[in-house]
Amino acid sequence: MDTLTKDEATLEQAVELGLLPEEFEKIKEVLGRTPNFTELGIFGIMWSEHCSYKNSIKYLKTLPRTGPHLLVEAGEENAGLVDIGDGLACAFKIESHNHPSAIEPYQGAATGVGGINRDIFTMGARPVAQLNSLRFGSIDEAHTQWLLRGVVKGIGDYGNAFGIPVLGGEVFFDEVYQTNPLVNAMSVGIMDPKDMISAVSYGVGNPVYIVGSATGKDGINGASFASKDMSEESAADLPSVQVGDPFQEKLLLEASLELAKTDAIVGMQDMGAAGITCSTSEMSAVKGFGMRIDLDKVPTRQEGMKPFEILLSESQERMLVVVKKGREKTVEEIFDKWDLHAVQIGEVTEGGILKYYMNGELAAEVPAHDLVLGGGAPVYDREYREPAYFAESKKFSMEDVPVPANLPETAMKLIGRPNIASKRWVYEQYDTMVGTRNMSTNAPSDAGVVNLKGKKSALAVTVDCNARYVHADPKQGTAIAVAEAARNIVCTGGKPSAVTNCLNFGNPYNPEVYWQFVKAIEGMGEACRKFETPVTGGNVSFYNQTVKDGKETVPVFPTPTIGMIGIIADKSKRMTLDFKEKGDLIYLVGESADDLGSSEYLAGICGVRLSPAPQFDLEREYAVQQAVAGLIEEGLINAAHDVSDGGLFTALTEMGIPRRMGFDITSDADVRPDAFLFGEAQSRVVVTVDGDGETKFIEALRETGVPFTLLGHVTRGKMVVDDTHFGFIDDAADVYLNAIGRKMEA
């Protein structure tokens, strides 16, 4: 123990590592002595917000976490696991890589993709789909374009080389994300639930292995970096950004899945945030065991790495594996076959204590339980209060906004706005077809569709969040995010199953930011319970804001991204969004409303940045979705597309572009023309019906009690509203499909 009394840590060092003074005192109480610097680093990273969720876990526990199809509950494993029938399970999760992407967009985004895929295949599932949700500042700014190019290339290069298709996503631009972009990556995998590998350690004497890549100095203290504000000095944290190698990850994937087929291991965990520290402590704490780890046995990329550097490194493509004693050869042979490190660095011990040695000397001794979420890590309930802007937004009146004199011109301007226009410039850099499971490429639908080969069913996947709505009303806006995700699943022919979330907010010590967080959780909980979509896990990312002039902080819009999966029971009934035939009837299921609140039209074209969230009623939304699901099940419609960002005109245009077909519709005389075309009132779905099936369609909808309206019919290419010519679909397609590309290539 002599080593532990040397280099005693100080309060000043604790604060530099992100710990509070009272947390430093608690550490001394836990250890019964003053920690050394290495131990302080261990507590600093494990008690960071990124690892401990200390400022969020109280409210996260209020979310629905159980359901009939759940195989593991939130927080139990590396990712959520849901029974999808036919002897298959789906593992899925979404996480952020915001701060690394802000200072090194290529590697920040690439390693975000790598990390989330490891969470999936560490459980024994083969990743089959990726999705992403991205937020940037104004696209007209050079810095935004640099970030966008780097992030998209990082996602594309890593994902394409790794060999998993991107099936969906979203990109949103607003000045609040100017220097703090959001990069949220989701991965979805398929597995036989009998092959699940748990992130657990037990059995005294069982050997502990590190497998995969060597450990370097990249990513040291990355979790702590993610748990503080962005500032003008953040570039100095560049060493906290990891460096990824997708080809190494592909080898690690195949080796891990081969390992899952054996009975040679006790448990396995990805080395993500906090590296060896996190994986050894979390795996040990599950069943109360400890570990002895010899850090000098860890394969390293640099000579002379210090204990805290090895412990806190977040080098990519690494796993910790606890092996059944006597089965070491099986594990070593598998990783040798795939040309990967598999080195025993320690063994399981009793008593719940982690002891880390370097060249025979004890470098750190800490109790696993006291390090982890759900154990001894701190839990806080921060002060919160309603921000002044919330009441101010309610004062908005549509009467203050004149109806545009030229609606056709406004419509074309709207579909060319970066938040509405096609993200083709982005997704064309991703491989969407690798693996041959993507059913969405040539038949677009509201959600991505994963073909479950050899099965009658398919998987529907989506990510959704309109952060402007959430900023306007965090509770209602987050409920809308859940509802839109469910609506996308339903419009594709699926039944919503479960949710993962990525909660992006500002500094939790700011009472107004924390109010946004608390209200968002309330809205998410209500909506998830209504749609019977339990939350399987995810990620909290606080401190998304910029420090200006050393004092003023500007938080991003609260952005609780919802990742949702659903089951399409019969993939022959999957629904697409494209108009099919000239003359098909266009119906609106749901009701239009005199509502411009928080719409892209109001914010982007009219310049009104503060207004209420759009009208929303959870019961009405559920009824609309049930009605649409019934229409699809009975084969009564041939296209379905939800009305969301950009309003009805955008939805109709998106339905027309795939086959270059137009529309001729009549507006609602009781609704303002701009609200009818561009407003984003919720709980609306556009469907098309073959003329011969109209009677059965109407009868079926009347039985549901859900309001519906005949809008008009599909044309060969002309777009007409109230007998006014709005142009041709070919011209609209050129604006919509190429708007972002033209800005990026200008």
Side-chain angles (χ1 to χ4, degrees):
M1 291 291 293
D2 288 345
T3 307
L4 293 179
T5 60
K6 298 175 183 176
D7 186 25
E8 288 189 340
T10 65
L11 175 58
E12 184 179 354
Q13 289 173 324
V15 172
E16 288 176 358
L17 289 170
L19 291 162
L20 300 173
E22 57 266 33
E23 291 172 344
F24 181 62
E25 294 304 316
K26 183 177 179 179
I27 292 167
K28 291 195 292 184
E29 183 181 319
V30 166
L31 296 179
R33 54 181 169 77
T34 302
N36 64 28
F37 181 75
T38 299
E39 292 166 334
L40 190 66
I42 290 171
F43 276 98
I45 202 163
M46 290 303 297
W47 285 7
S48 69
E49 179 64 37
H50 194 73
C51 289
S52 73
Y53 293 173
K54 60 188 178 184
N55 293 308
S56 55
I57 190 60
K58 174 183 173 180
Y59 292 96
L60 296 180
K61 286 182 176 180
T62 67
L63 294 171
R65 298 154 62 95
T66 60
H69 302 132
L70 284 193
L71 297 175
V72 299
E73 291 187 18
E76 289 184 346
E77 299 291 349
N78 285 311
L81 192 67
V82 176
D83 186 342
I84 57 174
D86 290 322
L88 294 177
C90 175
F92 67 109
K93 189 179 183 182
I94 189 170
E95 284 196 339
S96 64
H97 234 222
N98 302 334
H99 283 31
S101 299
I103 61 172
E104 215 298 44
Y106 180 83
Q107 288 293 353
T111 52
V113 170
I116 196 63
N117 278 312
R118 280 197 305 281
D119 279 337
I120 300 307
F121 69 74
T122 302
M123 293 182 68
R126 179 175 291 277
V128 294
Q130 298 177 127
L131 303 94
N132 51 71
S133 176
L134 312 176
R135 302 290 194 281
F136 300 96
S138 169
I139 196 173
D140 295 318
E141 297 287 338
H143 183 70
T144 296
Q145 294 190 12
W146 173 74
L147 288 170
L148 178 60
R149 289 182 196 280
V151 166
V152 171
K153 185 169 175 56
I155 292 172
D157 284 1
Y158 200 103
N160 296 352
F162 185 54
I164 309 299
V166 174
L167 262 66
E170 55 180 4
V171 185
F172 182 86
F173 301 92
D174 191 276
E175 62 189 37
V176 297
Y177 302 104
Q178 193 64 39
T179 56
N180 197 141
L182 303 184
V183 177
N184 296 175
M186 178 174 170
S187 181
V188 179
I190 303 297
M191 68 182 296
D192 183 333
K194 294 193 298 292
D195 293 336
M196 190 189 80
I197 304 172
S198 288
V200 65
S201 170
Y202 57 82
V204 174
N206 280 333
V208 178
Y209 276 70
I210 189 169
V211 302
S213 295
T215 298
K217 294 185 179 183
D218 54 315
I220 293 175
N221 263 345
S224 296
F225 169 51
S227 303
K228 61 183 180 181
D229 293 338
M230 292 293 295
S231 69
E232 294 174 358
E233 288 74 43
S234 289
D237 287 315
L238 189 59
S240 293
V241 180
Q242 309 94 322
V243 178
D245 182 345
F247 301 103
Q248 192 84 339
E249 176 125 327
K250 177 65 174 173
L251 298 176
L252 190 56
L253 161 68
E254 300 301 337
S256 298
L257 295 185
E258 187 172 333
L259 192 62
K261 299 293 184 182
T262 74
D263 63 349
I265 65 172
V266 169
M268 177 164 65
Q269 181 163 329
D270 163 43
M271 286 188 189
I276 293 174
T277 297
C278 186
S279 52
T280 54
S281 58
E282 289 186 346
M283 291 179 75
S284 297
V286 174
K287 290 187 177 293
F289 285 80
M291 287 185 187
R292 176 207 163 101
I293 300 294
D294 292 302
L295 298 174
D296 49 286
K297 294 181 180 178
V298 175
T300 58
R301 293 203 296 269
Q302 285 102 10
E303 292 184 3
M305 287 185 68
K306 297 176 181 178
F308 81 90
E309 292 175 324
I310 297 172
L311 280 166
L312 305 185
S313 168
E314 295 181 8
S315 292
Q316 298 291 284
E317 292 88 39
R318 300 179 302 157
M319 308 281 203
L320 194 75
V321 183
V322 178
V323 180
K324 292 179 180 177
K325 192 170 182 63
R327 301 300 305 278
E328 296 89 341
K329 188 175 182 181
T330 300
V331 175
E332 290 170 4
E333 286 178 347
I334 289 174
F335 283 92
D336 184 60
K337 169 186 172 181
W338 292 99
D339 197 26
L340 294 167
H341 289 296
V343 178
Q344 182 178 348
I345 61 170
E347 64 180 25
V348 178
T349 60
E350 58 185 355
I353 301 297
L354 301 171
K355 294 185 178 182
Y356 302 104
Y357 290 83
M358 189 73 173
N359 298 318
E361 290 192 9
L362 187 60
E365 180 177 357
V366 290
H369 172 83
D370 289 287
L371 293 175
V372 302
L373 166 69
V379 175
Y380 300 117
D381 183 8
R382 296 294 173 198
E383 173 194 358
Y384 60 90
R385 65 171 177 268
E386 180 180 296
Y389 81 79
F390 183 68
E392 191 67 24
S393 72
K394 306 298 184 185
K395 299 178 182 178
F396 168 76
S397 171
M398 283 203 306
E399 304 305 318
D400 297 332
V401 178
V403 176
N406 190 327
L407 285 169
E409 180 182 324
T410 302
M412 284 297 174
K413 187 182 295 184
L414 179 65
I415 64 171
R417 288 194 55 78
N419 286 340
I420 302 300
S422 167
K423 308 308 182 287
R424 184 169 74 168
W425 182 89
V426 173
Y427 67 69
E428 282 188 341
Q429 298 184 53
Y430 305 151
D431 191 335
T432 60
M433 291 302 293
V434 62
T436 66
R437 288 184 181 269
N438 185 359
M439 298 177 67
S440 314
T441 301
N442 298 317
S445 52
D446 279 5
V449 182
V450 179
N451 186 17
L452 301 178
K453 296 180 180 181
K455 309 293 183 183
K456 184 180 179 181
S457 58
L459 197 63
V461 295
T462 187
V463 288
D464 291 284
C465 179
N466 187 311
R468 187 180 288 123
Y469 297 173
V470 184
H471 178 254
D473 187 328
K475 182 177 179 178
Q476 184 165 306
T478 307
I480 289 174
V482 175
E484 185 180 353
R487 202 185 314 140
N488 285 334
I489 299 286
V490 168
C491 286
T492 308
K495 178 177 174 55
S497 178
V499 159
T500 179
N501 57 51
C502 198
L503 309 178
N504 308 272
F505 290 82
N507 191 320
Y509 294 88
N510 178 336
E512 296 185 354
V513 166
Y514 204 68
W515 177 85
Q516 293 173 331
F517 173 75
V518 171
K519 293 300 177 182
I521 294 296
E522 289 178 9
M524 186 184 306
E526 287 185 10
C528 285
R529 278 183 278 273
K530 183 64 184 178
F531 294 109
E532 298 181 305
T533 52
V535 177
T536 63
N539 174 222
V540 178
S541 176
F542 282 133
Y543 303 97
N544 291 293
Q545 52 194 39
T546 301
V547 177
K548 289 186 177 180
D549 303 323
K551 52 183 180 181
E552 181 189 2
T553 60
V554 181
V556 302
F557 283 161
T559 311
T561 306
I562 302 297
M564 185 180 288
I565 67 163
I567 311 301
I568 301 175
D570 183 350
K571 61 192 171 195
S572 69
K573 294 183 178 181
R574 71 161 289 231
M575 184 54 58
T576 58
L577 62 81
D578 51 317
F579 289 148
K580 302 301 187 296
E581 298 285 345
K582 175 183 179 295
D584 280 353
L585 301 173
I586 305 172
Y587 275 85
L588 180 68
V589 182
E591 292 182 287
S592 294
D594 260 331
D595 187 358
L596 293 175
S598 291
S599 62
E600 180 66 22
Y601 162 73
L602 189 63
I605 291 180
C606 302
V608 179
R609 287 188 58 83
L610 194 60
S611 62
Q615 297 176 20
F616 180 70
D617 180 273
L618 194 53
E619 296 299 328
R620 183 185 307 160
E621 174 73 38
Y622 184 75
V624 167
Q625 292 191 22
Q626 292 294 100
V628 171
L631 295 173
I632 294 172
E633 176 62 28
E634 296 300 319
L636 298 176
I637 58 177
N638 59 29
H641 187 27
D642 80 315
V643 179
S644 55
D645 300 357
L648 180 61
F649 185 85
T650 296
L652 293 167
T653 303
E654 290 172 340
M655 296 177 82
I657 286 174
R659 297 175 188 248
R660 295 299 194 267
M661 309 193 86
F663 50 87
D664 186 340
I665 66 167
T666 301
S667 67
D668 186 333
D670 294 327
V671 178
R672 267 178 57 143
D674 53 349
F676 178 79
L677 290 172
F678 315 133
E680 298 175 11
Q682 298 296 294
S683 311
R684 295 183 293 162
V685 176
V686 178
V687 301
T688 55
V689 185
D690 183 298
D692 294 337
E694 185 181 19
T695 300
K696 288 185 177 180
F697 166 83
I698 291 174
E699 289 174 351
L701 265 186
R702 280 178 176 163
E703 287 183 6
T704 68
V706 170
F708 61 99
T709 308
L710 173 63
L711 292 175
H713 64 273
V714 177
T715 68
R716 289 197 185 279
K718 195 174 183 180
M719 301 187 300
V720 178
V721 179
D722 295 333
D723 296 325
T724 299
H725 186 201
F726 272 60
F728 292 95
I729 196 68
D730 284 342
D731 297 326
D734 180 58
V735 172
Y736 178 82
L737 294 173
N738 299 311
I740 290 180
R742 285 177 178 139
K743 283 186 175 291
M744 295 301 292
E745 293 159 11

